[in-house]
Amino acid sequence: MTQLSEAPPRTRAQISERTLRKDPWWRTPAVVAALLTIWVLYATVRVFTGHWYWVPAYHYLTPFYSPCVSGECVPGSSSLGQWIPALPPVIPYAFVSLPFVLGFRLSCYYYRGAYYKAFWRAPTACAVREPHASYSGETRLPLILHNLHRFFFYVVVLISILNTWDMVQAFRGKDGSFGIGLGSLIMLVNVVLLWGYTLSCHSCRHITGGRLKNFSSHPVRYWIWTKISRLNQRHMQLAWTTLGTLMLTDLYIMLVASGAFSDPRIFN
Amino acid sequence: MGYKAKFRVWRGDAGTGALQDYEVEVNEGEVVLDVLHRLQATQANDLALRWNCKAGKCGSCSMEINGRPRLGCMTRMSVFSPSETLTITPMRTFPVIRDLVTDVSFNYEKARQIPSFTPDASVKPGEFRMMQQDVNRSQEFRKCIECYLCQNTCHVIRDHAENEAAFAGPRFLMRVAELEMHPADTADRRDIAQEDFGLGYCNITKCCTEVCPEHIKITDNALIPMKERVAGRKYDPLVWLGSKISRRPKSEGTPVAVRPAAKDAT
Ligand code: SF4
Ligand code: SF4
Ligand code: FES
Ligand code: FES
């Protein structure tokens, strides 16, 4: 009679629905999945095409083929010289830069979050139960390799310098002196936005100033950090617009190089 | 002005329960918590719910409204159409005590495990001087009202209760980041952030940020910077090379996570 009854062990609310959300939570991940798939398909086709990447008259080189360092590169397109003889077509011409550019985007904090939701469904949307039986996040191989993002950042800064060089070359007319065409302007916009994306990187934010404990004793780095932090708030937008401008730049150069479209010249 | 709203409220204890239907009067300008209070006063006197400030500042009234983790006192009825049925459930990640009241002691246990502020022992109290720019980052995190909506929403533990021992959750990884960014703190918590508090489980999907009623940029300003600090200690190729060349002493002062001997989750 006097015995106290044990309280039953507490458990989480047993609710069988995967989610009770009524808003269209599946929409954003579906759009992200569709856009990323389209982009990857386009880029894959393009890097293996092997032609229409260089407009000799105006020195337009698509970013997907820069740097072109092997023997099959058409004359003029190899700004860094040709280091090796022609390669079999299964190897993209820009094999030097593409792995780093790809690694940079794959390990980007924004894209990671986006594709974990869109493709891996971990989770598809917030407060929507994910379908996996277990979860270890980025604690193990291969996902722990995302910690190398900073290494890709270092290399991509060099690649951005190369893209800038390619863009400067594109401001030339047929006679080799200064000139501006629609293509030069497209390449300029692309390069400016690529720098925006690269410098707004979270690793960049960390390296330039975020790693400090004490801002007041490093005023210059603190100033840089505040600027990078402002840019960093736009990182997602820059991630998407640069996918767009990369594709547009490549498409434009492909059309001009193939003769399907002639580059309107603004000056020379 | 008023209308009758359809509410489905999860009722039950110790985990077992069900959604029950009610029709409750709603007046202009009310929030969900007001309507739940009217429900309690007029139809369901035994409805258990937690609240305190009705101003979005105490963090007591966390619940899930139409599947979205939110504060009941900060969710206006005017965002729903009068014909809509509102489904109200307790936070799903924590054990239910009764109805909408959950046992959030998981969070207190995690909070206690974090080694506290560790100033330089040679600096005496009253001698600390800090500039505003040094504390801006911590002050953002200090806006936290401990509502634990972020902890509740994070899929690492919400969908995988087995990770509870290994993962401290966004709120407490943010606490680690706050101390790491503190200009007068001397401890190095990078190793324990990764190994004891499970920073690597976070896959930066930003659901914590999405639900935070204080709009703290938890992922961008605390978790990613913390991941970067861990990468700097453990995975940076240039730092690694530099440490090989300069033979700088390894970072000192790594404290250990405070693990209560008894009653630890297994
Ligand atoms: S960003 Fe990380 S901590 Fe925040 S909800 Fe997502 S997995 Fe959890
Ligand atoms: S960080 Fe935001 S969501 Fe998390 S407990 Fe604090 S106030 Fe609530
Ligand atoms: S490029 Fe996106 S975080 Fe570095
Ligand atoms: S009652 Fe205090 S936050 Fe809602």
Side-chain angles (χ1 to χ4, degrees), chain B residues 126-156:
Chain B
E127 286 181 351
F128 287 110
R129 292 293 176 272
M130 267 183 262
M131 307 299 284
Q132 182 59 40
Q133 63 263 43
D134 292 328
V135 286
N136 278 340
R137 286 181 293 184
S138 314
Q139 281 180 344
E140 183 192 8
F141 309 150
R142 285 273 168 177
K143 290 194 299 180
C144 173
I145 59 170
E146 314 254 294
C147 65
Y148 302 130
L149 285 172
C150 56
Q151 302 281 92
N152 167 54
T153 314
C154 180
H155 69 115
V156 176

Side-chain angles (χ1 to χ4, degrees), chain A residues 172-191:
Chain A
R172 283 202 271 167
K174 277 207 172 82
D175 57 4
S177 57
F178 183 74
I180 307 174
L182 180 58
S184 340
L185 297 180
I186 291 178
M187 286 177 76
L188 172 67
V189 170
N190 180 48
V191 164

